[in-house]
Amino acid sequence: MKFAKRIDRIQPSATLAMTSKAAEMRAQGIDVLNMSVGEPDFNTPEHIIEAAKFAMENGHTRYTPGAGTTDLKKAIQNKLQRDNNLEYKLDEIIVSCGGKHSLYNACQVLFEKNDEVIIFTPYWVSFPDFVSVTGAKPIFVNTDPDKQYEPVFEDLESKITKNTKGIIINSPSNPTGGVWSDEAIKRTIEIAKSHSLWVFSDECYEQLTYDNPFKSIFTICSDYERILTFQSCSKTYAMTGWRIGYTCGDQAVIKAMSKLQGQSTSCPNSIAQFAACEALSGDQSFVHEMRSAFKKRRDIIVNRLNAIPGVKCDSPGGAFYVFPNFKEIINRNLDGNIVKSALDLCLMLLEKKSVVSVSGESFGAEHNIRFSYATSESVIDDAMNRLEALVKEIC
Ligand code: PLP
C-alpha cells in the first residue's frame, strides 16, 4: 500500500521495540533482565492517584481547554517559579499529552521543507523523526564523551548554514545522561543567537541531576527570547502513562501549538491534568527520594562497568541512563563469530544472557550501548554479572 511520503521519513522507536522484545521473552518464561526501560520503576505517588480518583468522582471528566486547564497552567507557572526560577504568563504555557507531544507540535509549528535543525549526537531517538516528519532535515553535530557530551563547538559552527532554523538541546540527556556545564550552554546559545535560531530545551529529566543542581537554560540565557522550554510530569513523578508534559516560551509559538493541538488531540486527558496539578503543587518528597535512589544506582552501575576490562563509562550527571563505550570489545570474537558492532554485542547480550539493552546505533553512536538503571539494585547487579561473564567469553 502506498502511504503519504511523510510516514516514510520516520522510523519506529528503537527503545520501544526493545521494551516489547523484553515483554515477549518474559511471556515465554525466560528470566529476562530489562535494562532498556525509559521510565522510573517507582509507582506514581499515592497523593497523585488520590487526586485522579477525586477528579473522576467529581466530574473532571470532560473536554478541557485545548492548551490545558487554567488550574494546571497556574500550577506549572508556580512550579517553574519555585524549581527553576522561571517567570511565564499563562498564555506562554501549553499543556500537551506528554513532553513528546509538545516537542512534536513545536517542530510542526516552526520547521518545514528546506529547513535544517541541529541535533547533538548521541541523540534521543525521537528528535530526528520529529524534524524529518516536517520535511526539514536533521543535521547532526558531534559531542565530547569526556565532557558530559557537550558540543564539539567547531563542528557546531561548521554545520550552521543559511537554512538552519533550530537547535535541540537535551540536558540531562537521553541516552548519555550527560549534563552540560553553564559555559557550554552559554556558548551554544550565543551561537544560536547570532543566527536567530529557535532553541528547544528538552528538560524532561530536570529533576534528576546528581552532582550539581539543575539550571534551566532560559535562566542562564534569559536575554534570548527564542528559547522554548519543554518539561514533563513523566519522569519526575513516575507518571509516564498519564501523558502530561508542557512547553513554555514565546506567546505566538504557544498560540500556534495550541491551534494545532486543538485540531488534533482536542486537549490532554482531563483526569491526568487534575492529577498533574497535585503532582506539581503537592508534597515533593517523592522526587527527592527517587533522586537519591537513582544516584546510588548510578554509582553502582558506573563502578561495575568500569571494572569490566575493555569497557569505559564516564559518570553521567543526570537522567537514569549510562552509555558505556565498548570500542575495545568490538571486532573481537565469540565462539568464532566476530562482534561487528554495538548492535551485535547488544543482541549477544540478549540471546546469550537475556539482558535487554539498547545499542548505540539507534542514538547515532556506534560503539556504545545504553543501559537504564531505572530498575532495582539487585537487577543491576545481576545484569552486570551477566555482562561481565559475556565480555569474558569474548576474546
Ligand atoms: N525527551 C526525552 C529526552 C525523553 O527521553 C523522553 C521520554 O523518554 C521524552 C522527552 C518524552 O517524555 P514524555 O512524552 O513521557 O513526557
Side-chain angles (χ1 to χ4, degrees), residues 50-97:
E50 285 305 320
K53 287 185 192 161
F54 180 90
M56 284 188 276
E57 285 161 5
N58 290 277
H60 297 273
T61 48
R62 297 170 191 274
Y63 293 132
T64 74
T69 62
T70 304
D71 282 351
L72 180 52
K73 288 206 255 177
K74 281 185 182 158
I76 291 167
Q77 191 178 41
N78 291 334
K79 180 270 171 208
L80 290 168
Q81 230 282 308
R82 178 192 69 208
D83 294 352
N84 308 108
N85 205 16
L86 289 171
E87 301 275 353
Y88 282 102
K89 300 196 195 85
L90 294 187
D91 60 4
E92 294 170 324
I93 298 171
I94 177 174
V95 183
S96 307
C97 308

Side-chain angles (χ1 to χ4, degrees), residues 35-56:
M35 302 294 286
S36 76
V37 193
E39 58 188 342
D41 53 322
F42 298 86
N43 286 335
T44 307
E46 203 49 45
H47 65 108
I48 301 174
I49 292 173
E50 285 305 320
K53 287 185 192 161
F54 180 90
M56 284 188 276

Side-chain angles (χ1 to χ4, degrees), residues 207-260:
Q207 293 295 330
L208 299 174
T209 60
Y210 311 118
D211 303 322
N212 296 302
F214 175 79
K215 276 194 214 156
S216 181
I217 289 189
F218 192 58
T219 60
I220 302 173
C221 306
S222 51
D223 61 338
Y224 189 47
E225 280 157 12
R226 291 193 165 195
I227 297 176
L228 297 169
T229 303
F230 299 82
Q231 295 187 356
S232 171
C233 289
S234 288
K235 321 284 174 172
T236 304
Y237 302 105
M239 289 177 72
T240 47
W242 299 66
R243 311 308 302 131
I244 296 291
Y246 49 93
T247 314
C248 39
D250 182 272
Q251 192 222 333
V253 174
I254 298 296
K255 194 171 170 195
M257 287 171 69
S258 309
K259 185 163 75 167
L260 176 64

